[in-house]
Amino acid sequence: MNETIETLLNHRSIRQFKDQPLSDEQIRTIVKSAQQASTSSYYQAYSIIGVTDDHIKQELSNVSGQFYVRENAHLMVFCADFHRAQLQSDDELKEKMSENLQNTEHFIVATVDAALAAQNAAIAAESMGLGICYLGSLRNDIAKVSELLGLPDYVIPLFGMAFGHPDHEPEKKPRLPLDAVYFENQYADDAAIEEQIDQFDEHLNDYYQSRSENSRTDTFTGQIHRKLSKPKREDVTDFVRRKGMNRS
């Protein structure tokens, strides 16, 4: 097993960071690594906002409800971005592009591009001994985040990422069995998947009961059913459409 695979398999979310900043070189290396991610049709349809202003970080922390949005060495927000693609175009061309950008395909392209760049950034950071935590909680008030960051139309804040030097060592959280997520040629039979999930529920419950922090009784099925049975962030759809995307 090589060092890259070991880094990938050893991932865990870090939510407590030492009071130690990242160097400019580290930040540039992380961003340059993000830029080398695969990108659909060479669009590079994302932007990364590095947040260094304490007031903005506090406001973003208020949106998320998570202290580590504020207390970290560096914070980045990853955005789907087709605004940049429309620059340097005349009005007629911009109108044609705007009509095309309303379809779901381009929204998916930009979202995937941003996610791929972010995962490259995460791996780069972890390879340097840093910790990271994805921050989907910034979508708790996506319009507020957009306002704070001054994002124009066709730029959508998807999630954040906190970086820093780890100040705790949480247990590695289990993942679904390989046979529950990887199928050959066709999607697996429901009964086969349910058997894998039943086994995973037992394994995950053992993990929750034995871990050193936030011990509890719970299962994968239980928590996913609870989450999906409640409305969540219902303002996101309208916000994305107001930004000019995912309308058709």
Side-chain angles (χ1 to χ4, degrees):
M1 185 181 297
N2 60 45
E3 290 184 5
T4 301
I5 301 297
E6 289 181 354
T7 298
L8 290 167
L9 294 180
N10 197 45
H11 167 73
R12 61 208 66 197
S13 294
I14 300 299
R15 296 176 173 86
Q16 297 176 29
F17 302 99
K18 295 178 181 178
D19 186 15
Q20 180 180 349
L22 268 59
S23 68
D24 289 342
E25 181 180 359
Q26 286 175 316
I27 294 170
R28 290 180 60 84
T29 298
I30 289 169
V31 175
K32 289 171 71 175
S33 297
Q35 288 186 272
Q36 287 303 120
S38 297
T39 172
S40 179
S41 300
Y42 200 53
Y43 281 126
Q44 302 174 78
Y46 63 89
S47 289
I48 306 169
I49 310 294
V51 182
T52 58
D53 184 282
D54 288 338
H55 172 72
I56 296 177
K57 288 183 80 170
Q58 179 61 61
E59 289 295 310
L60 293 176
S61 181
N62 293 342
V63 168
S64 73
Q66 297 166 325
F67 69 90
Y68 41 88
V69 173
R70 177 185 68 256
E71 298 176 11
N72 54 66
H74 195 67
L75 176 66
M76 295 182 186
V77 180
F78 288 79
C79 306
D81 183 356
F82 265 112
H83 173 77
R84 183 172 54 237
Q86 298 179 79
L87 299 177
Q88 297 175 291
S89 61
D90 59 32
D91 290 343
E92 182 179 359
L93 178 56
K94 186 173 292 185
E95 183 177 351
K96 289 181 179 179
M97 288 193 292
S98 295
E99 291 175 0
N100 289 330
L101 287 173
Q102 294 181 30
N103 68 30
T104 300
E105 167 63 13
H106 285 99
F107 179 62
I108 292 174
V109 163
T111 301
V112 171
D113 266 18
L116 293 174
Q119 189 61 11
N120 261 28
I123 296 165
E126 291 179 339
S127 75
M128 293 189 282
L130 301 171
I132 69 98
C133 186
Y134 277 89
L135 305 166
S137 58
L138 294 185
R139 295 192 303 278
N140 287 349
D141 190 344
I142 194 169
K144 178 68 173 179
V145 172
S146 180
E147 178 186 352
L148 286 167
L149 302 181
L151 303 182
D153 285 347
Y154 304 100
V155 181
I156 298 165
L158 298 173
F159 51 85
M161 189 180 295
F163 298 84
H165 300 269
D167 199 26
H168 70 144
E169 191 173 349
E171 291 91 347
K172 187 166 59 175
K173 198 168 186 177
R175 295 301 196 253
L176 284 164
L178 185 147
D179 289 340
V181 299
Y182 176 72
F183 318 126
E184 290 190 355
N185 300 317
Q186 292 186 330
Y187 201 86
D189 179 81
D190 285 355
I193 300 174
E194 287 178 350
E195 181 180 354
Q196 294 292 325
I197 293 176
D198 286 343
Q199 295 175 12
F200 184 64
D201 279 341
E202 294 182 14
H203 176 56
L204 188 63
N205 189 47
D206 290 342
Y207 159 79
Y208 279 134
Q209 291 187 4
S210 63
R211 68 181 181 180
S212 58
E213 297 179 4
N214 192 25
S215 176
R216 69 179 194 265
T217 298
D218 205 352
T219 64
F220 174 77
T221 298
Q223 61 182 284
I224 296 304
H225 286 180
R226 289 196 303 272
K227 291 174 180 177
L228 291 179
S229 61
K230 298 178 182 178
K232 187 173 185 179
R233 299 170 185 156
E234 294 182 280
D235 59 318
V236 171
T237 299
D238 287 341
F239 171 83
V240 170
R241 290 173 176 169
R242 291 198 304 273
K243 282 287 189 176
M245 303 193 73
N246 201 33
R247 292 179 175 175
S248 61

